[in-house]
Amino acid sequence: MNIEFLGGAREIGRSAVLINDSLLLDYGLETSTPLQYPLGEVDPEAIVVSHGHLDHSGAVPSLLTGDSRPPIHWTAPTRALALTLAEDTLKLHGNTLQCPFTETHVRRMTQVSETHPYGESFTAAGHRVTLFNAGHIPGSAHILVDDGETKLLYTGDFKPAKHADERGNPADDEEVNGTDQPMGQRLVDGSTARPEADVVITESTYADVTHRERSAVEQQFVERAKTTLWEGGTVIVPVFAIGRAQELLLVCESAGIDCYLDGMAKEVTQLLRQYPSFVKDADALQRATSNARFVTGRDGQRKRIARKNTVILTTAGMLGGGPVVSYIPEIRQNPTNKIALTGYQVDGTPGRELLDTGRAEFDGRVLPVSAQVEQYNFSAHADREGLGQFLTSYRGSTILVNHGDNCTGFAKRLRENGFDAQAPELATAIVV
Ligand SMILES: [Zn+2]
């Protein structure tokens, strides 16, 4: 098997791996300025997409700009999310040199799309392919590829079920440390499938980090949000539209916190409700959605809400645009108010700037923020222990580490622990 890394090798963003010159796994977009696409011209016979985040699916429409019409294989939610993201990319960057595709190419995605449930094998570019729940966001998949000689498992982004044993049988997730808090995510079940594989390409986003217990993170978020509300303040919760927004809706509903929902998160929440079999508890998501008031943004509504004693979940998660940019100037001067960041803040984003300096640029103006700024790790990725536990099922396999800031360090640690592991460089091909 020939494995070529066109993106996502020793980096996060624009994931793309080409198998045997014919089968493409993921084709993502890195949202830096300018946008970055996977390397080279590629003309695959078929594409399989692991999940509907921009850095895994965002560049897919650009594969349909020429004469070829390769089928795109994915789960139904991934298809829907990828289409939504493509429309959004067109809104932000359409008709510029940065965006090599148009509405026509996005429409073509629907013509070549083939959706698959988890666990049912299909043929793509002559390979036998099977998708398994990856526990990252609704519809996210581990991709198992068999070319007749070699079995490859591409993890995609994933979060394992807690306490899964080596064969992948999950322990009872519901009662942990004497609390009733589920330890995994509220939105999706953790990954438990550990299909046999000769080669594993594993993500390593949090290979150097141990996440705090989810129940403790939730509890702290809830207690501090309630404190701000008691004190008469407003809590702005910047969220990523896909996954994080719905997770926080579920947290708010379960804690009895009323909230508003704004930005692209509204559209994605409604979209995900159409795929109840891909979420952990569709009734809970229904309740959580009803618990939130959707902001229309009409007639100065945002200004009014920002003065209320309430919680507002809104995109963008790193404060780089979206309605959050209109809320922060309204609430920033009062130290009773709070901005509760719910995810990783990439260097160079206003969210990172705010955390580091207490000020950031919003809509072209640098503003100091007196409101409290807090950060919570609601990660949807495996951490150091989760990756270690997952890989114990693949002791005899070749491990290729990608999708991380320290891929070489993690590969080295794996080798020290007896694994056959390496971190391929961008633009290299590995033959196994
Ligand atoms: Zn992802």
Side-chain angles (χ1 to χ4, degrees):
M1 180 180 281
N2 188 298
I3 305 170
E4 199 177 344
F5 288 83
L6 306 178
R10 301 190 185 181
E11 64 179 359
I12 297 176
R14 61 166 179 179
S15 283
V17 181
L18 185 63
I19 307 299
N20 294 333
D21 269 327
S22 58
L23 179 66
L24 187 60
L25 308 181
D26 283 350
Y27 206 60
L29 188 61
E30 160 79 61
T31 55
S32 50
T33 312
L35 299 177
Q36 286 201 57
Y37 292 81
L39 301 175
E41 297 266 308
V42 61
D43 191 13
E45 282 172 44
I47 304 145
V48 187
V49 179
S50 66
H51 68 285
H53 272 152
L54 206 60
D55 59 331
H56 293 259
S57 71
V60 168
S62 67
L63 296 166
L64 302 170
T65 53
D67 294 333
S68 51
R69 297 284 178 272
I72 307 171
H73 301 273
W74 41 21
T75 62
T78 300
R79 172 190 187 275
L81 291 168
L83 286 167
T84 303
L85 288 172
E87 294 292 351
D88 196 54
T89 301
L90 283 180
K91 250 185 252 163
L92 295 171
H93 307 285
N95 296 318
T96 71
L97 285 174
Q98 288 205 50
C99 186
F101 59 85
T102 66
E103 191 68 50
T104 307
H105 309 120
V106 174
R107 237 188 343 267
R108 281 182 193 160
M109 284 164 76
T110 62
Q111 292 156 8
V112 297
S113 163
E114 295 183 26
T115 58
H116 304 274
Y118 294 135
E120 280 182 21
S121 301
F122 55 90
T123 302
H127 300 72
R128 194 166 174 73
V129 178
T130 318
L131 306 178
F132 299 93
N133 171 36
H136 176 59
I137 57 169
S140 66
H142 299 302
I143 305 172
L144 182 69
V145 177
D146 185 348
D147 69 0
E149 288 176 6
T150 306
K151 289 194 184 73
L152 164 75
L153 180 67
Y154 174 83
T155 65
D157 294 356
F158 75 104
K159 192 173 178 84
K162 285 284 179 175
H163 298 308
D165 65 23
E166 286 192 21
R167 288 176 308 282
N169 299 315
D172 182 9
D173 227 17
E174 295 306 315
E175 240 194 24
V176 178
N177 297 341
T179 74
D180 294 322
Q181 297 272 20
M183 281 180 53
Q185 301 199 78
R186 288 180 180 270
L187 183 60
V188 285
D189 288 313
S191 138
T192 55
R194 304 291 178 261
E196 198 185 300
D198 307 299
V199 187
V200 177
I201 300 177
T202 182
E203 70 127 320
S204 59
T205 316
Y206 287 108
D208 296 331
V209 175
T210 298
H211 294 329
R212 285 181 67 204
E213 283 296 341
R214 177 56 68 101
S215 54
V217 176
E218 270 194 19
Q219 202 178 357
Q220 190 177 43
F221 171 85
V222 165
E223 277 171 13
R224 290 187 177 171
K226 283 185 170 171
T227 302
T228 301
L229 295 176
W230 286 325
E231 290 171 346
T234 310
V235 185
I236 305 293
V237 184
V239 285
F240 307 126
I242 300 174
R244 197 62 42 86
Q246 297 75 40
E247 185 74 12
L248 268 296
L249 280 176
L250 289 159
V251 169
C252 285
E253 196 274 338
S254 78
I257 297 175
D258 294 339
C259 60
Y260 285 88
L261 183 69
D262 202 351
M264 192 179 162
K266 292 181 294 184
E267 187 185 347
V268 173
T269 301
Q270 297 298 27
L271 180 158
L272 290 177
R273 286 176 58 205
Q274 294 164 36
Y275 303 96
S277 65
F278 286 88
V279 299
K280 190 182 220 166
D281 182 344
D283 292 338
L285 185 58
Q286 164 64 39
R287 285 197 308 276
T289 309
S290 310
N291 180 57
R293 271 167 283 189
F294 282 44
V295 179
T296 62
R298 265 183 244 120
D299 306 327
Q301 189 194 12
R302 290 189 178 114
K303 264 190 192 325
R304 281 200 306 281
I305 297 170
R307 284 196 291 270
K308 282 190 174 189
N309 186 208
T310 191
V311 171
I312 305 164
L313 312 182
T314 181
T315 42
M318 300 187 205
L319 316 183
V324 74
V325 170
S326 32
Y327 288 111
I328 289 178
E330 300 296 323
I331 64 104
R332 71 182 172 96
Q333 282 174 312
N334 186 344
T336 310
N337 295 332
K338 178 177 292 172
I339 300 166
L341 299 162
T342 56
Y344 185 73
Q345 305 293 308
V346 172
D347 279 344
T349 60
R352 169 52 55 191
E353 189 70 13
L354 181 61
L355 273 174
D356 291 347
T357 68
R359 54 175 59 221
E361 190 176 316
F362 302 102
D363 253 349
R365 285 187 302 161
V366 175
L367 302 174
V369 172
S370 307
Q372 303 156 51
V373 179
E374 295 172 352
Q375 188 179 26
Y376 296 89
N377 185 347
F378 281 97
S379 170
H381 291 267
D383 66 357
R384 184 187 172 107
E385 285 68 29
L387 286 164
Q389 184 198 59
F390 176 86
L391 290 173
T392 54
S393 302
Y394 298 100
R395 279 225 155 256
S397 312
T398 297
I399 312 294
L400 304 176
V401 177
N402 78 338
H403 198 287
D405 295 324
N406 184 21
C407 295
T408 48
F410 183 46
K412 183 167 174 276
R413 203 163 76 222
L414 287 172
R415 283 197 300 276
E416 287 162 1
N417 284 302
F419 283 90
D420 168 13
Q422 55 176 306
E425 268 180 85
L426 200 59
T428 54
I430 306 274
V431 181
V432 288

